[in-house]
């Protein structure tokens, strides 16, 4: 049996979404920027998708800009604000996705000042620490909506209010959250929001950046006049239609999916916590319904990952981007875990089609693998004896 517990890395494309996309490959293939009938057909479909995409975050359709996904949206938001300002100070967190972190590193190398705020033991940044970091020359606050490794939700509403009061643009990387939890950009005072279709049953390679009408961002792609001249390039009609359909579907099914995922993730965490020396990361914070990030004392998660893979169970040793390298997760390190603990951690992320039976199998296989690895591990024997110091 194959069990996919890595929905936070990507999901499959929903059958209805695929059906909505299909006509735009072979028939409705006109360029949405062309004025003939073929073009107008595609244009109509893009407009519908713009409404659907806007609706899932409570935005106006004219504030949605289609991109190639979360990474591009993050790059555009952060570099766009920086370029408009020319110089200044950026506030972000130490647990952002690399798409934000590396963009901020790049800007730091170009003379911008960047503050990377720490997080507490639950992986949350506090609004107070954001407030304290604000300077007269702060040009941007970028804090993710939910962390991709732990599912921990950040206090986005509080931070948005603060940013709004100070007149500082507020960007949130909501790639993990869109389609999974309710979001309203007005109620939360969000000025810029990144999303990506493949994290909520849409296709890969398409996403959007929400840009509040009052926020001025520079041109990101130079070329044609698409997306109000800000993001040139022939629109990806099938992808955009897929994003829209996935957004609409998510809006309709969010509550029931969340309930199902919450039930399964609780069962998974409880089942795994029966193992001694095991913890659930971010347990004290509000989290996305499907994320379970566990630390198993005395083992290497890479080995556990391999055991589970042999059993047909797909999980993650942190973010997909940093697996392959054996680096411990910087997110878990920022939460205060030791190198050894971070290396003993695994993310399982549940999707709407996982079943209770699959979860029970995953619990059973994981427990067996952890026990096997611990039996082989001198590290664990030492820990039990209380003499392990790292
Ligand atoms: C997946 C992810 C991204 C990158 O999105 P892509 O569409 O794959 O480029 C950015 N931020 C977060 C939080 C993510 O989970």
């Amino acid at each position: 049996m194959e069990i996919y517990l890595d929905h936070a890395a990507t999901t499959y494309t929903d059958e209805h979404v695929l059906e909505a996309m299909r006509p735009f490959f072979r028939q409705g293939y006109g360029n949405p920027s062309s004025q003939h009938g073929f073009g107008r057909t595609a244009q109509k479909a893009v407009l519908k998708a713009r409404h659907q995409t806007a609706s899932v975050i409570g935005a106006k359709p004219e504030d949605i800009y289609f991109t190639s996904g979360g990474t591009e949206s993050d790059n555009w938001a952060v570099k766009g604000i920086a370029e408009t300002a020319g110089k200044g100070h950026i506030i972000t967190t130490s647990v952002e996705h690399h798409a934000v972190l590396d963009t901020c590193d790049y800007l730091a190398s170009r003379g911008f000042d960047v503050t990377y705020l720490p997080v507490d033991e639950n992986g949350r940044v506090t609004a107070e620490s954001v407030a304290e970091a604000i300077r007269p020359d702060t040009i941007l606050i970028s804090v993710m909506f939910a962390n991709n490794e732990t599912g921990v939700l950040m206090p986005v509403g509080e931070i948005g209010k603060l940013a709004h009061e100070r007149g500082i643009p507020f960007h949130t990387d909501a790639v993990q959250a869109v389609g999974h939890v309710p979001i309203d950009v007005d109620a939360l005072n969000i000025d810029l929001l990144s999303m990506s279709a493949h994290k909520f049953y849409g296709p890969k390679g398409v996403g959007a950046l929400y840009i509040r009408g009052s926020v001025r961002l520079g041109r990101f792609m130079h070329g044609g006049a698409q997306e109000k001249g800000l993001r040139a390039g022939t629109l990806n009609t099938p992808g955009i239609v897929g994003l829209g359909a996935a957004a609409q579907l998510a809006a309709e099914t969010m509550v029931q999916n969340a309930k199902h995922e919450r039930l399964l993730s609780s069962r998974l965490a409880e089942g795994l916590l029966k193992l001694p020396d095991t913890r659930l990361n971010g347990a004290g914070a509000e989290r996305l319904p499907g994320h379970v990030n566990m630390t198993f004392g005395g083992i290497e998660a890479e080995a556990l990952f391999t055991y589970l893979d042999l059993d047909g169970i797909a999980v993650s040793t942190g973010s997909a981007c940093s697996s392959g390298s054996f680096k411990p997760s910087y997110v878990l390190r920022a939460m205060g875990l030791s190198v050894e603990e971070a290396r003993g951690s695994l993310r399982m992320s549940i999707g709407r089609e996982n079943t209770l039976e699959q979860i029970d199998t995953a619990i059973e296989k994981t427990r067996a693998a952890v026990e096997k690895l611990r039996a082989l591990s001198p590290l664990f024997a030492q820990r039990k004896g209380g003499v392990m110091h790292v």
Side-chain angles (χ1 to χ4, degrees), residues 8-10 68-74 96-100 144 146-149 173-177 194-199 204-207 321 347:
T10 192
S68 65
T71 301
E72 182 185 330
S73 297
D74 285 343
E96 297 297 309
H97 189 274
H98 276 295
V100 168
M144 69 200 320
N147 184 266
N148 42 298
E149 291 192 29
D173 173 348
V175 174
Q176 287 289 323
S194 305
M195 68 167 89
S196 181
H198 76 97
K199 301 286 174 83
K204 291 166 185 59
V206 63
C321 323
R347 176 186 74 187

Side-chain angles (χ1 to χ4, degrees), residues 115-178:
T115 299
Y116 301 92
L117 293 172
V119 292
D120 65 17
E121 71 277 12
N122 282 308
R124 270 169 69 99
V125 69
T126 61
E128 292 73 44
S129 71
V130 174
E132 281 166 21
I134 292 175
R135 307 193 323 207
D137 64 338
T138 302
I139 55 168
L140 174 69
I141 298 171
S142 180
V143 175
M144 69 200 320
F145 205 103
N147 184 266
N148 42 298
E149 291 192 29
T150 58
V152 165
L153 293 163
M154 297 295 186
V156 165
E158 284 176 64
I159 296 168
K161 187 164 174 284
L162 196 81
H164 189 87
E165 284 164 5
R166 313 286 183 103
I168 302 165
F170 174 45
H171 167 246
T172 188
D173 173 348
V175 174
Q176 287 289 323
V178 169

